[in-house]
Amino acid sequence: MAATQDLSIFVRHGEGGVAGMELAVDGIHCAGCMHKIERGLARQSGVLSARVNLALKRVTVEWTEGALRPEAVIAGLQSLGFKAYPFLPAEARDADAQEDKRLLRCLGVAGFASMNIMLLSVSVWSGNGGEISPVTRDFFHWLSALIALPTAAYAGRPFFESAIRALRAGGVNMDVPITLGIVLTLGMSVVETWNHAENAYFDGVAMLLFFLLIGRYLDQLMRRRTRDLAGNLAALKAETATRLGTDGATVVVPIAAIAPGDLVLVRPGERVSVDGIVEGGSSEIDQSLVTGETAPVAISAKGRVHAGTLNLSGTLTVRVEAAGSGTLLDEIDRLMAQAVESRSRYVKLSDRAARLYAPLVHATALATFLGWVAFGLAWQQALIIAITVLIITCPCALGLAIPAVQVVAASALFKHKVMLKQGDALERLAEIDTVVFDKTGTLTLPEPSLANRKAIDPAILEAAGTLAAASRHPLARPLALAAGEPRPPEGVQEHHGLGLSAIVDGTEMRLGSVAFCGAEREAWAVSAACPTASLIAWRRGERCAVFAVDQELRPDARASMQELRALGLDIVILSGDRESAVAPLACELGIAAFKAGQRPDEKLAELDRLASAGRKVLMVGDGLNDAPALAKAYVSISPISATHLAQASADIVFLGDELAPVAASIRIARKARALMVENLWFAVLYNAVAVPIAIAGFATPLVAAIAMSGSSIIVTLNALRASRPVAAPSEQAP
Amino acid sequence: MNILILLMPLAFGLGLTGLVAFFWCMRTGQFSDMDGPGWRILEDDDVGKEGG
């Protein structure tokens, strides 16, 4: 039965009677797909324009108001062969997008200014070496001033604002010496020009702004790329709920359109997508995504359900409610608030460098000034030399050192299917010595699968699979998948709470609980082999079989554990599931340290204990019960199948079914951190060479220009090394 | 050297034109997709019309 869909919440209503919608499209590979979509959609009547963004794999469709329903657009894309998922019209994304644009505008202005001023400066430098009339030189200097002053006022704003914020808070960050340097140098250059001097440092200021803005923009770019990818994935995972109207009609709506007080229908096999109270029906629910507990829990009227739990056997009608106090969700909220507050304020490498850097630079400049005055030089000359020292030490390379490595490392991580949400997560990841894993959904695959497949005769599997394909029960789904999704037979009868039956070729075939199929003997053998599995039985005449459905370990779990141990890390399992489910798995993976039956606050307590023992912990988890621990840990990773809250609390998210991304991220993070430190040392080295030259009074604008651009280029080239593949310890040559 | 009085404003004028073009591109969102427009040029949906 096709339920009606209502996607009107996604439609953006523009002026001129134009309605529009943005969708993430699955299956765009190349330009050919782009042509197909644009042409195909344009042919639909009512559609005004369809434009594909090939880089982001999205399409923006516009149509005359009222001519089309949004569902028709999605159906149109489906008929072209693409699955499309709409986005909510972007309000939250706007603030970040505005910041991106502002930074890019500042970068553009700084670029224009530095190139044009350099045009003039090179003329002056070569003229200074030969013959240049003072009138021409002054003319060029004044032109440079004309360009440099407005540029600094416009493009320097991000730095000025940041410096003022830091000073107001009573501290110093990297932007304070930058601001000081810019302001003093501009002032000094104008005074020098007024006095018809040979050297003016306008090009130095413009170039400094240009390189520093590149560093800022790279930082922003990395975060934007992650945001865009995350936005697409969020749309692809978009959850819907079936709203029950007062007239009994059902409409499928997106979660965003559900309000408290609505009545929602949850069929067997569906995931509950709202928090609420059950009004009708009774069923069993699987709470593993919320508490980690894999044993089903019975629920009936007046019981509370959480978003993320799986409805197993019966249809439920749920009245949507915001979480009340005393509920699991409320407790998790409380723990989250605590965790975020008490999380140790990690000082980023760049801030640590700034703390040393700023006072040192200011002290050096001051000492230079006083030194030269004591030496007998006129105070104006001494001031000029001191300001030159300030501008030469200005952190071009320092501003690029870390963002450049972060951007390259983030790209390398994307290739390994890892999304970095926080830039400084890379530095923290490099420092860890312990990894804490959750079990359900993290070490095991999020969806259950057939555990004893090898022991089953393929003919039986196929026969059972046909009947399983007719059921939505979560135990039947893996069976149908394993059999290759065959077509169900005609005339399947459902026996509530027991199973399915159908007459095939004259004999009755049954699929369901062990008792329904009379398969106790076989069941006993299978449950001895797979103690933690749920059993589903099949009978056809005399032949019967029992299938074990269990959450299997991720395909490379064992290999990943070995890799992590080879990297020198300790591994611990903290699970919300019962001991009998966790122990065999820990044994199989060779992990001695594990704790079962952990509530969210117990997981936090364990993390505290490890932290106070001086360990730096990486937390890997996916459930709602892991969210506080993910927020509290030194650094955290979650798989893409995790609940929204877990993904929001984690620093890093990885895609796919394998655990290999965890070890790969740690290797890349270590390399990236090494490169960041190298870059910082290089910046120090450059200063160590340049500062004495400046103090001695030999630094002309030419020297400053060469030093700044040279150091920035070297730092950037060094950062590119982060993208070279890092071999796993097992692959490295002995 | 009086020619400079003509040349310098000319040079900056050209530079400013470039900067303004950059801002205009940003405003019309041309930097959001760097791959698509390159391929869109290769579409030959206008060939049929010419031939007919």
Side-chain angles (χ1 to χ4, degrees):
Chain A
M1 118 205 79
T4 42
Q5 266 203 330
D6 178 11
L7 296 171
S8 48
I9 195 176
F10 291 121
V11 178
R12 187 186 4 110
H13 300 276
E15 339 100 2
V18 172
M21 188 161 74
E22 210 186 336
L23 306 109
V25 183
D26 204 8
I28 296 187
H29 304 297
C30 65
C33 304
M34 179 177 83
H35 292 332
K36 203 166 154 191
I37 292 179
E38 287 184 352
R39 251 179 286 176
L41 279 180
R43 251 177 290 173
Q44 251 184 310
S45 64
V47 172
L48 291 172
S49 77
R51 195 164 177 94
V52 170
N53 184 326
L54 195 57
L56 294 176
K57 313 262 192 297
R58 298 181 186 177
V59 64
T60 308
V61 186
E62 289 185 343
W63 64 89
T64 35
E65 195 81 59
L68 271 187
R69 294 185 64 231
E71 296 80 14
V73 173
I74 295 193
L77 279 163
Q78 184 103 12
S79 65
L80 289 166
F82 298 95
K83 290 178 68 91
Y85 305 85
F87 279 109
L88 278 173
E91 331 84 7
R93 297 185 285 162
D94 274 347
D96 293 315
Q98 292 294 72
E99 182 60 32
D100 281 351
K101 285 202 182 146
R102 190 181 90 132
L103 216 50
L104 196 54
R105 276 197 290 262
C106 290
L107 186 59
V109 169
F112 159 79
S114 59
M115 285 176 221
N116 281 284
I117 297 180
M118 195 53 81
L119 166 76
L120 297 165
S121 294
V122 172
S123 321
V124 171
W125 298 337
S126 40
N128 277 344
E131 290 174 10
I132 180 172
S133 86
V135 176
T136 317
R137 182 171 53 217
D138 280 349
F139 178 50
F140 281 6
H141 279 167
W142 280 119
L143 276 178
S144 310
L146 190 64
I147 301 177
L149 292 169
T151 301
Y154 181 74
R157 262 197 339 227
F159 303 101
F160 302 154
E161 286 167 8
S162 163
I164 291 178
R165 255 199 313 257
L167 286 172
R168 279 223 193 104
V172 201
N173 67 4
M174 196 71 94
D175 295 328
V176 174
I178 293 173
T179 309
L180 208 57
I182 292 175
V183 169
L184 285 177
T185 310
L186 280 176
M188 178 261 272
S189 303
V190 169
V191 167
E192 286 285 89
T193 308
W194 188 269
N195 294 334
H196 310 289
E198 265 191 19
N199 293 327
Y201 292 83
F202 297 112
D203 54 277
V205 170
M207 231 196 328
L208 178 69
L209 280 174
F210 184 49
F211 285 129
L212 288 174
L213 283 169
I214 290 181
R216 295 264 157 125
Y217 188 66
L218 286 180
D219 204 21
Q220 200 79 338
L221 194 65
M222 185 200 74
R223 262 183 259 140
R224 187 179 65 182
R225 210 142 32 118
T226 309
R227 245 193 349 260
D228 286 337
L229 188 60
N232 273 21
L233 286 170
L236 260 58
K237 272 181 68 172
E239 285 162 2
T240 54
T242 312
R243 183 163 52 198
L244 209 52
T246 39
D247 53 350
T250 57
V251 184
V252 177
V253 293
I255 289 293
I258 298 273
D262 284 346
L263 203 56
V264 164
L265 188 72
V266 185
R267 296 192 193 85
E270 281 184 0
R271 224 169 248 288
V272 180
S273 35
V274 292
D275 297 318
I277 311 262
V278 176
E279 280 207 350
S282 67
S283 173
E284 295 185 325
I285 52 174
D286 173 357
Q287 291 188 320
S288 53
L289 199 58
V290 175
T291 60
E293 172 69 53
T294 47
V297 173
I299 193 148
S300 55
K302 302 266 180 54
R304 185 168 271 283
V305 284
H306 297 290
T309 54
L310 187 61
N311 184 16
L312 291 175
S313 43
T315 309
L316 295 170
T317 38
V318 178
R319 174 80 58 192
V320 180
E321 254 196 30
S325 63
T327 62
L328 179 63
L329 207 58
D330 180 60
E331 191 196 322
I332 288 183
D333 276 340
R334 200 178 42 86
L335 289 171
M336 285 287 296
Q338 261 179 26
V340 169
E341 246 178 63
S342 67
R343 177 184 218 168
S344 53
R345 310 279 336 283
Y346 174 76
V347 184
K348 302 198 295 196
L349 264 180
S350 56
D351 290 340
R352 264 188 259 174
R355 278 201 199 150
L356 284 174
Y357 181 85
L360 212 59
V361 161
H362 295 154
T364 314
L366 194 61
T368 312
F369 175 64
L370 295 172
W372 275 109
V373 167
F375 198 64
L377 206 57
W379 72 268
Q380 295 97 325
Q381 298 290 82
L383 190 61
I384 291 171
I385 296 184
I387 294 177
T388 316
V389 169
L390 209 55
I391 190 108
I392 279 230
T393 58
C394 248
C396 253
L398 226 47
L400 278 176
I402 292 180
V405 176
Q406 276 181 357
V407 166
V408 178
S411 303
L413 285 173
F414 274 140
K415 291 205 191 85
H416 285 269
K417 302 193 187 180
V418 178
M419 284 167 25
L420 198 62
K421 283 171 59 197
Q422 299 266 60
D424 63 343
L426 219 51
E427 300 166 29
R428 285 180 275 142
L429 196 53
E431 292 176 11
I432 55 152
D433 55 14
T434 312
V435 186
V436 172
F437 279 99
D438 169 53
K439 176 186 84 72
T440 323
T442 307
L443 285 173
T444 62
L445 288 168
E447 302 298 331
S449 56
L450 203 54
N452 63 340
R453 188 186 183 147
K454 295 192 205 70
I456 307 281
D457 180 7
I460 295 186
L461 181 60
E462 214 188 304
T466 56
L467 205 48
S471 167
R472 278 185 298 251
H473 195 281
L475 283 182
R477 288 300 310 147
L479 193 52
L481 277 170
E485 296 260 25
R487 288 194 56 222
E490 306 283 317
V492 173
Q493 272 190 314
E494 243 187 86
H495 305 268
H496 178 70
L498 295 170
L500 304 165
S501 68
I503 312 283
V504 178
D505 296 333
T507 7
E508 195 204 22
M509 193 158 61
R510 286 187 170 200
L511 183 73
S513 67
V514 170
F516 185 57
C517 301
E520 284 82 358
R521 201 168 39 94
E522 288 84 353
W524 191 85
V526 171
S527 72
C530 314
T532 53
S534 304
L535 303 174
I536 180 172
W538 174 84
R539 173 173 287 281
R540 185 174 168 196
E542 284 305 309
R543 313 176 68 194
C544 82
V546 172
F547 303 95
V549 174
D550 200 3
Q551 291 205 309
E552 280 194 334
L553 272 182
R554 287 187 185 250
D556 63 340
R558 236 162 279 134
S560 290
M561 297 299 125
Q562 276 169 355
E563 267 200 74
L564 289 172
R565 258 176 285 227
L567 284 169
L569 303 166
D570 287 329
I571 307 181
V572 176
I573 298 183
L574 284 183
S575 173
D577 206 354
R578 56 199 191 283
E579 174 111 16
S580 52
V582 182
L585 198 131
C587 186
E588 199 182 331
L589 291 173
I591 298 171
F594 69 89
K595 290 207 169 139
Q598 299 279 298
R599 297 174 42 80
D601 54 330
E602 289 173 326
K603 288 200 185 192
L604 270 187
E606 182 64 23
L607 282 186
D608 277 333
R609 199 184 60 80
L610 286 168
S612 55
R615 309 288 213 100
K616 301 218 167 80
V617 175
L618 165 66
M619 173 81 199
V620 188
D622 76 317
L624 207 56
N625 61 334
D626 296 317
L630 286 172
K632 182 86 186 282
Y634 199 64
V635 63
S636 50
I637 299 185
S638 77
I640 193 66
S641 49
T643 56
H644 285 311
L645 192 59
Q647 273 189 50
S649 322
D651 296 308
I652 302 174
V653 174
F654 69 89
L655 306 170
D657 280 343
E658 304 197 330
L659 276 178
V662 176
S665 333
I666 297 177
R667 279 201 301 274
I668 293 178
R670 286 186 180 177
K671 180 156 195 210
R673 188 170 200 275
L675 284 173
M676 284 185 212
V677 171
E678 261 177 43
N679 274 354
L680 286 175
W681 275 114
F682 179 75
V684 170
L685 178 68
Y686 146 77
N687 274 325
V689 168
V691 167
I693 298 181
I695 294 180
F698 293 133
T700 58
L702 177 60
V703 170
I706 295 177
M708 273 188 220
S709 33
S711 60
S712 301
I713 290 176
I714 294 187
V715 156
T716 311
L717 287 177
N718 195 29
L720 289 176
R721 285 167 59 200
S723 67
R724 288 223 225 110
V726 187
S730 47
E731 297 162 25
Q732 272 162 4
Chain B
M1 281 307 209
N2 289 334
I3 192 73
L4 282 178
I5 308 223
L6 173 64
L7 285 179
M8 301 287 22
L10 196 62
F12 294 148
L14 285 175
L16 270 174
T17 311
L19 189 62
V20 167
F22 178 69
F23 277 17
W24 178 73
C25 285
M26 274 189 60
R27 208 154 52 86
T28 55
Q30 296 188 23
F31 289 130
S32 58
D33 182 8
M34 306 290 261
D35 304 327
W39 290 103
R40 216 169 263 121
I41 302 178
L42 298 174
E43 247 184 277
D44 35 51
D45 49 359
D46 50 349
V47 173
K49 293 175 204 155
E50 275 179 45

